[in-house]
Amino acid sequence: MTAYFVTGTDTDAGKTLVASGLLALARRRGLTTLGLKPVASGCEPTVDGLRNIDALTLQAQSMPTTPYTTINPYTYEQAIAPHLAARRAGEIPTLDALAAHVAGPLSEKRDLTLIEGAGGWRVPLNDDEDLAGLAVRLELPVILVVGLELGCLNHARLSAEAIRADGLRLAGWVGNLIDPGLSFDEAADETCYRDNLATLERTLEAPCLGIVPRLATDTPDARAPAAADYLTLPTCEESL
């Protein structure tokens, strides 16, 4: 079984799009899959309880089918930093609790399991712990999603440095087009676009698993297989 932790250079870098795309690609190849989102803020009330669109997207690409509460045990309604949302909800998670929860799903040993973080690498889980600590405890290799926009070179390099400083392997990175401005607009300035990508490839020192352009489709279930067309699965290594 191969498991990875998926993080991003920032909130809305495209973690869920990339994670669901990788899961969709694995399913396309006949592999079993599981996407976990242990902590999610910005959830909507439903008849079944709070639900998060990112977690639902990962659930849709998990095969065999997995209960929502397995995928997303900690749900918070307010779309703010998880540790603040948890404090206001009166249900503060700890790394011990998260590690205990994911132990069961990980024991299922599916072909590809992705655990998606929240925000960037250093997002707090509570007043004393970061969510990245879960990846450290599980000794998971990390996939970094780089939101391609002005300023991302700095964000990507700092994130990669922090991941390695925590003793983890950067298994690969994916570029996701956020800002089709001059820096990352191939049609407007192909040389600048290529130079930016070359800088990421050189400085991140990890395989590029794909560059996802702006996708024409808007629905999450359609975006996952669309993103899969631009992705490559990370090198299969036993990480657990």
Side-chain angles (χ1 to χ4, degrees):
M1 185 272 292
T2 305
Y4 298 88
F5 190 89
V6 180
T7 191
T9 48
D10 203 348
T11 300
D12 294 330
K15 295 186 301 299
T16 302
L17 175 64
V18 170
S20 63
L22 289 170
L23 294 172
L25 178 59
R27 289 182 61 187
R28 192 178 290 173
R29 298 184 180 180
L31 303 177
T32 57
T33 58
L34 177 61
L36 301 176
K37 177 88 172 174
V39 180
S41 54
C43 301
E44 296 290 335
T46 74
V47 294
D48 297 317
L50 291 174
R51 293 292 183 263
N52 176 265
I53 185 61
D54 293 344
L56 289 170
T57 301
L58 296 178
Q59 183 186 31
Q61 296 303 326
S62 297
M63 188 59 63
T65 303
T66 304
Y68 182 87
T69 52
T70 297
I71 289 170
N72 179 210
Y74 289 93
T75 59
Y76 304 109
E77 187 169 356
Q78 285 191 283
I80 57 178
H83 73 297
L84 299 180
R87 184 185 301 165
R88 295 186 180 189
E91 184 187 15
I92 300 176
T94 64
L95 287 179
D96 285 342
L98 291 188
H101 177 85
V102 301
L106 288 176
S107 69
E108 295 182 17
K109 299 186 180 301
R110 301 196 192 185
D111 295 319
L112 178 64
T113 297
L114 300 179
I115 301 178
E116 182 186 322
W121 185 250
R122 284 287 180 244
V123 68
L125 178 65
N126 52 50
D127 288 345
D128 302 306
E129 299 173 314
D130 292 343
L131 185 52
L134 181 62
V136 174
R137 287 202 181 193
L138 298 175
E139 298 181 339
L140 293 177
V142 180
I143 296 172
L144 175 63
V145 179
V146 180
L148 297 179
E149 59 184 345
L150 188 63
C152 73
L153 301 182
N154 177 62
H155 295 162
R157 296 181 67 185
L158 288 175
S159 297
E161 289 172 9
I163 291 165
R164 292 190 172 106
D166 283 342
L168 298 179
R169 176 173 67 91
L170 184 61
W173 64 276
V174 175
N176 177 48
L177 185 60
I178 299 293
D179 177 18
L182 187 60
S183 295
F184 287 99
D185 190 335
E186 187 173 14
D189 192 332
E190 182 179 359
T191 300
C192 186
Y193 173 79
R194 297 296 174 189
D195 284 348
N196 271 305
L197 293 183
T199 299
L200 287 170
E201 291 175 354
R202 184 181 70 255
T203 58
L204 293 184
E205 299 179 337
C208 177
L209 304 178
I211 304 296
V212 181
R214 280 185 170 271
L215 301 175
T217 180
D218 291 329
T219 61
D221 288 346
R223 285 167 63 81
D229 293 338
Y230 299 93
L231 297 171
T232 300
L233 293 177
T235 302
C236 292
E237 294 184 19
E238 285 295 324
S239 58
L240 282 177

